[in-house]
Amino acid sequence: MSHPNEDPAPTDPSSTPVTGPQPVVPGGKEKVPSQIKVLIAAAFVIAIGYGIVAPVLPQFASSFGVGVAAASAVVSAFALCRLLFAPASGAVVNKLGERPTYLIGLLVVAVSSAATAFAETYWQLLLFRGLGGVGSTMFTVSAMGLIVRLAPPRMRGRISGFYATAFLLGGILGPVVGGLLAGFGMQAPFIIYAVALLIASAVVYLRLKDETLAARKAKNPQPPMTFHEAFQVGAYRSALVSSFATGWTAYGVRVALIPLLAVQLVGEGPRVAGLALAVFAAGNALALTFTGRLTDKLGRKPLILTGLSVCALATIGVGLVSSVPLFVILSLISGMGSGTLNPGQQAAVADVIGPERAGGRVLSRYQMSADAGQILGPILAGALADAAGFGWAFGVSGGLMLLAALAWLPAKETMPPEENPKNENPDDQHQRG
């Protein structure tokens, strides 16, 4: 990274011109670019494959004669390697371009998944899953970079919602498919996941136009955006905070502690825990059907603040209730809050980078904040639950979401205007972001 004094001045996220053909339909409304549709379809396939292997992985690890902690470590190895490799993945994106990095990442995960199926020792299994995390962060960061560059600015919220919905639906269907494959042995899901990734790689290779960083530099001499440059924009700083809080609460604590809370506090077992996780996903999907459009219509900030506040209050409530109906209802509301904030949060980061800059490092740090929250949340909140009870664990987790909402209050709106940015008042541009 360059010295701070050498970084170019932060650019107004709404003043970056959009290049390339912008598809329209009668009435002037923009259509989702075909390249984005390819990425959304690939996301669905990837999520189904991940959902297929997720239920089997702990049991597969246990088959090597290790204890619960060691079996759980196989799951954590994937997330830990994602976090550790994220900075390097951002540099790879800036060096090779988004599409090559995306394809390499998919192939790395495909190979690691196939190797996992044939692991002969626990340590081989741990190594192969870790390598999968390396590939995962490569295609995640590069996919975000492609969406930043290819999505029309006034559709970033909707496209972020479509992309998240594809992952969500794939994640819901994956475990169902995985259950149907249980009779074929524990190796089968990993082989099927590898094949699905190879198919996704082929589709992306054939259908996604190869717009590399080098080609973009030929048109635009601006260098890749540095983390220091993005960090000077208030919306990006706020996005880092809310991404960490979301990773901690919505992805980490929810998955790790809800099943335990269902047993120890609500007094029910896996049936209610599974129901709570399912309705969270349903609430998320329900919100995503309309919040993406609202993000592009009302602005990023209002939806982010609403989503953070709703998710925070529902999370706090989950730790306080003792009845199954309230437990399930609050899980649904929490999922709706998560689905409300995510499109705006991702669109705001895209606004900061703009379509003419390579944002590999900026996006990798954003992804790292969510991964860090997802890793630390279950550990620290779990320790707090042991020491003081689930009420405190979920209370602190919800409080973290409220702090993230406070961090967004001073941030400027990043959504670009309807008109051509060149027609903006220069004073307005100076005040934005």
Side-chain angles (χ1 to χ4, degrees), residues 66-407:
V66 299
V68 175
S72 301
V74 174
V75 179
S76 300
F78 189 89
L80 181 61
C81 287
R82 274 179 56 91
L83 178 64
L84 294 178
F85 191 74
S89 68
V92 172
V93 169
N94 286 347
K95 181 71 174 178
L96 300 180
E98 292 93 347
R99 178 179 176 270
T101 305
Y102 186 89
L103 291 170
I104 292 171
L106 286 180
L107 292 175
V108 168
V109 180
V111 171
S112 71
S113 180
T116 298
F118 299 101
E120 296 181 352
T121 67
Y122 169 79
W123 295 109
Q124 286 182 0
L125 177 64
L126 194 66
L127 173 63
F128 295 148
R129 285 302 291 171
L131 290 176
V134 172
S136 174
T137 195
M138 290 178 70
F139 73 67
T140 299
V141 172
S142 55
M144 288 192 293
L146 284 166
I147 289 174
V148 166
R149 187 151 54 82
L150 298 174
R154 295 290 301 189
M155 292 188 69
R156 285 175 182 151
R158 275 169 284 178
I159 287 173
S160 295
F162 295 152
Y163 192 77
T165 300
F167 257 110
L168 183 64
L169 293 178
I172 293 173
L173 292 176
V176 176
V177 177
L180 297 176
L181 295 172
F184 294 94
M186 288 188 288
Q187 287 84 2
F190 297 98
I191 296 173
I192 292 172
Y193 185 28
V195 172
L197 290 170
L198 290 176
I199 294 173
S201 301
V203 171
V204 171
Y205 178 79
L206 295 172
R207 299 293 303 274
L208 195 63
K209 185 179 178 182
D210 189 5
E211 299 181 30
T212 63
L213 178 60
R216 181 167 60 249
K217 280 186 174 180
K219 300 177 183 178
N220 185 2
Q222 285 186 300
M225 179 174 281
T226 65
F227 174 74
H228 175 77
E229 183 181 357
F231 196 75
Q232 294 183 59
V233 183
Y236 182 71
R237 296 194 300 270
S238 302
L240 292 178
V241 176
S242 57
S243 180
F244 176 82
T246 303
W248 173 298
T249 303
Y251 302 119
V253 168
R254 174 180 63 90
V255 174
L257 296 190
I258 283 291
L260 300 176
L261 177 63
V263 175
Q264 297 187 29
L265 184 63
V266 180
E268 297 285 347
R271 180 177 59 85
V272 172
L275 178 61
L277 295 175
V279 298
F280 179 95
N284 206 318
L286 176 63
L288 286 170
T289 60
F290 61 88
T291 54
R293 288 186 177 275
L294 288 179
T295 295
D296 290 329
K297 183 177 182 180
L298 303 178
R300 320 314 191 193
K301 187 175 173 180
L303 275 296
I304 294 171
L305 289 172
T306 300
L308 285 170
S309 301
V310 169
C311 192
L313 296 176
T315 299
I316 293 171
V318 163
L320 299 176
V321 300
S322 57
S323 71
V324 172
L326 283 177
F327 182 63
V328 172
I329 290 171
L330 288 172
S331 296
L332 175 68
I333 295 173
S334 179
M336 294 184 68
S338 177
T340 299
L341 74 94
N342 281 332
Q345 182 174 262
Q346 294 182 20
V349 174
D351 293 339
V352 170
I353 298 170
E356 296 299 314
R357 303 291 297 275
R361 287 191 173 91
V362 176
L363 291 168
S364 67
R365 268 57 171 190
Y366 169 72
Q367 183 61 48
M368 282 177 67
S369 63
D371 288 339
Q374 188 171 357
I375 293 170
L376 291 175
I379 297 172
L380 298 181
L384 185 58
D386 285 336
F390 282 102
W392 279 99
F394 281 88
V396 169
S397 299
L400 194 61
M401 300 287 280
L402 290 176
L403 289 176
L406 291 177

